[in-house]
Amino acid sequence: MEQVNELKEKGNTALNAEKFDEAVAAYTEAIALDSQNHVLFSNRSAAYAKAGKFAEALKDAEQTIALNPTWPKGYSRKGAAAAGLHDFMKAFEAFNEGLKYDPTNAVLLQGRQEITASVLSYMQSQGDIPMDIDPQMPRARRAPSPPRRTAEPAKPAEPRVEDMSEDEKKKYFAKLEKELGNAAYKKKEFDDALKHYNAAIEHDPTDITFYNNIAAVYFERKEYEECIKQCEKGIEVGRENRSDFKLIAKSFARIGNTYRKLENYKQAKIYFEKAMSEHRTPEIKTSLSEMEAKIKEQERQAYINPEKAEEEKEQGNHFFKKGDYSNAVKHYSEAIKRNPDDPKLYSNRAACYTKLAAFDLGLKDCETCIKLDEKFIKGYIRKGKILQGMQQTSKASAAYQKALELDPNNAEAIEGYRQSSMNFQRNPQEVLKNAMSDPEIQQILKDPAMRMILEQMQNDPNAVKEHLQNPAIADKIMKLLESGIIQIH
């Protein structure tokens, strides 16, 4: 041991004389004799650091801590070596760790203060963006920097930690931990980010921003339950400390975004509404609208049931055969809700609308029917009949022609195409003349009741809807429509 002490003193003398290589050699020789002596590694770390060999200094400092984890000087050595390597985060952590064993250690306090100033300066030079932002929200563009002045005023000196009040110290170090967390978050080093954000909360548990930032980390890691818990805790802390309502809104919005990721759109809607009650923003409003649309689509999908649709279709067929077209429409509409991809249902409802002279609705159903199945021939035939009733003979011919392309021998399509082509080529006078020669048409027009109904329809176009409820009258009106005697627009 005496030889070890002599070598240590020799190293100390060389170090004080700034003969760093001699100091390192002496300490190394001493370590060879006593490899469990933490002081020797600490001294050699100092010598390496003085010589600018920070990697070697860091290695010795870590060995010092390994040999004596409760000795504060080991942490100050590690902090100095890490700072020399510009690893500010590691340096700050080392000083912080040492202060746990000796909270009043002047060297550690001063080291942490100096590294704090270095970190903040570095953050400013890198244009660091605070992390208290929602990862779902688009980041606003940074405003263009004003022209740099030729002479910048001198920056005020960093406050000395020992001159701060206890509350100021807590906020000061909490801010630094947050900035270190932000830097780690941007690098996607989420474990380090969490470590720093939690350290910030230890210094200052009253700031909602730290909880929001922790929630952001969990969100990125897809640990959604933890994200929600942190947001809820942040809201509680924010309420207790009267935080800015915008920050509370951010917590609610992040919960909403989390539930959106979980595809729980109803819960997401609830929290976006809560966020809106705190602070209305276009982004939250858009998210709320998206959730409402998602919920509506989910409900629509949940309502689909082909078996129920078939039952409703049969009911519709029953009322159609009875001539009760209004009730038939109700059942076909319910069937469509239950099975919205069945083209036959739209075709059947279009037939009802045709009987009710609701040609615009019938035409819309035909278009939907054809869109769902381009080879469904009945869709084109119904479309042709509706267009005939609307006196749009050229369009009716095109519909029948499409039906004939699918089935050239379809009798209904052939007859419809023939009639529409003839009507298109003849003038209105000829159409009327031919219609009047039809005995069935003559009989309808001679019926006093029908003449009164036609006169009423002429004076009040809406009256046709009432008369179409009667199947016998509806058939006669449709016959007059097909012949061209009357027109409904």
Side-chain angles (χ1 to χ4, degrees), residues 438-462:
D438 185 333
E440 189 177 355
I441 297 294
Q442 292 176 9
Q443 188 176 357
I444 293 171
L445 293 175
K446 286 178 182 178
D447 183 347
M450 280 301 300
R451 292 176 68 87
M452 187 179 296
I453 288 170
L454 293 172
E455 186 177 343
Q456 186 182 3
M457 286 168 56
Q458 188 173 7
N459 295 328
D460 181 11
N462 291 324

Side-chain angles (χ1 to χ4, degrees), residues 200-439:
I201 289 174
E202 288 181 13
H203 288 297
D204 181 10
T206 67
D207 193 332
I208 184 177
T209 301
F210 307 147
Y211 300 93
N212 277 349
N213 289 4
I214 290 173
V217 173
Y218 284 126
F219 187 93
E220 287 295 317
R221 285 169 38 158
K222 296 182 173 56
E223 296 178 29
Y224 297 125
E225 290 186 10
E226 284 301 320
C227 175
I228 291 169
K229 287 180 184 177
Q230 288 298 322
C231 288
E232 289 173 342
K233 179 62 177 175
I235 292 165
E236 181 184 339
V237 168
R239 297 280 194 219
E240 290 174 357
N241 295 278
R242 298 183 179 180
S243 297
D244 189 336
F245 54 85
K246 293 179 183 177
L247 294 175
I248 294 175
K250 194 183 295 290
S251 297
F252 279 126
R254 185 169 279 121
I255 295 176
N257 283 322
T258 304
Y259 278 119
R260 170 161 47 189
K261 286 287 187 181
L262 293 169
E263 297 185 0
N264 187 339
Y265 302 124
K266 289 184 178 179
Q267 281 296 101
K269 177 176 178 285
I270 289 170
Y271 281 95
F272 284 131
E273 287 173 340
K274 289 182 178 183
M276 288 282 281
S277 69
E278 296 290 335
H279 179 57
R280 298 175 69 88
T281 69
E283 293 84 3
I284 297 174
K285 187 176 181 181
T286 299
S287 294
L288 181 58
S289 298
E290 289 175 0
M291 292 308 97
E292 289 170 346
K294 290 280 190 183
I295 291 167
K296 187 175 180 181
E297 177 59 19
Q298 277 188 336
E299 290 173 347
R300 188 187 75 83
Q301 291 289 340
Y303 199 67
I304 292 174
N305 186 326
E307 292 181 2
K308 292 282 186 182
E310 192 62 27
E311 292 175 9
E312 292 293 339
K313 176 187 169 186
E314 291 302 321
Q315 285 292 313
N317 293 345
H318 170 72
F319 283 107
F320 186 88
K321 289 173 184 176
K322 287 177 62 177
D324 189 348
Y325 304 121
S326 294
N327 272 321
V329 165
K330 289 179 183 177
H331 286 286
Y332 288 138
S333 296
E334 179 63 19
I336 286 169
K337 289 179 183 178
R338 291 290 190 176
N339 191 5
D341 296 328
D342 186 348
K344 294 177 184 177
L345 300 176
Y346 295 93
S347 175
N348 288 7
R349 191 170 68 175
C352 290
Y353 284 138
T354 304
K355 292 293 186 180
L356 294 169
F359 296 126
D360 53 341
L361 296 175
L363 187 60
K364 184 178 178 182
D365 270 357
C366 287
E367 296 290 0
T368 303
C369 173
I370 292 166
K371 185 177 179 182
L372 288 170
D373 185 356
E374 293 181 355
K375 294 183 179 181
F376 188 59
I377 191 169
K378 189 169 282 190
Y380 295 102
I381 293 172
R382 292 212 191 282
K383 182 179 179 180
K385 286 187 175 182
I386 290 172
L387 289 168
Q388 274 185 289
M390 298 173 74
Q391 303 300 313
Q392 296 183 23
T393 51
S394 62
K395 291 182 179 180
S397 293
Y400 287 125
Q401 191 171 12
K402 185 66 180 177
L404 290 169
E405 288 176 10
L406 296 171
D407 182 3
N409 300 316
N410 187 285
E412 200 172 1
I414 291 170
E415 179 60 22
Y417 183 72
R418 186 187 66 79
Q419 287 182 4
S420 60
S421 297
M422 288 174 60
N423 289 340
F424 180 67
Q425 293 168 3
R426 292 182 295 179
N427 60 41
Q429 287 81 9
E430 290 178 348
V431 172
L432 184 60
K433 183 179 177 180
N434 289 332
M436 292 300 293
S437 64
D438 185 333

Side-chain angles (χ1 to χ4, degrees), residues 139-171:
R139 191 176 285 168
R141 288 188 177 182
R142 194 185 295 275
S145 301
R148 189 179 293 277
R149 296 181 181 178
T150 53
E152 292 285 345
K155 291 182 180 179
E158 284 288 331
R160 288 168 54 84
V161 175
E162 50 265 41
D163 295 337
M164 296 179 184
S165 66
E166 283 304 311
D167 189 55
E168 287 172 337
K169 284 181 183 178
K170 289 177 182 178
K171 292 187 180 299

Side-chain angles (χ1 to χ4, degrees), residues 92-148:
F92 183 81
E93 289 171 351
F95 291 129
N96 251 4
E97 193 68 22
L99 286 167
K100 289 180 181 178
Y101 299 106
D102 186 359
T104 61
N105 187 290
V107 175
L108 290 170
L109 284 170
Q110 188 62 35
R112 188 168 68 172
Q113 182 180 352
E114 289 173 356
I115 205 67
T116 298
S118 298
V119 169
L120 292 176
S121 176
Y122 175 77
M123 293 289 184
Q124 290 168 0
S125 70
Q126 295 297 309
D128 181 60
I129 299 170
M131 235 304 298
D132 49 328
I133 57 174
D134 195 309
Q136 290 287 319
M137 302 299 180
R139 191 176 285 168
R141 288 188 177 182
R142 194 185 295 275
S145 301
R148 189 179 293 277

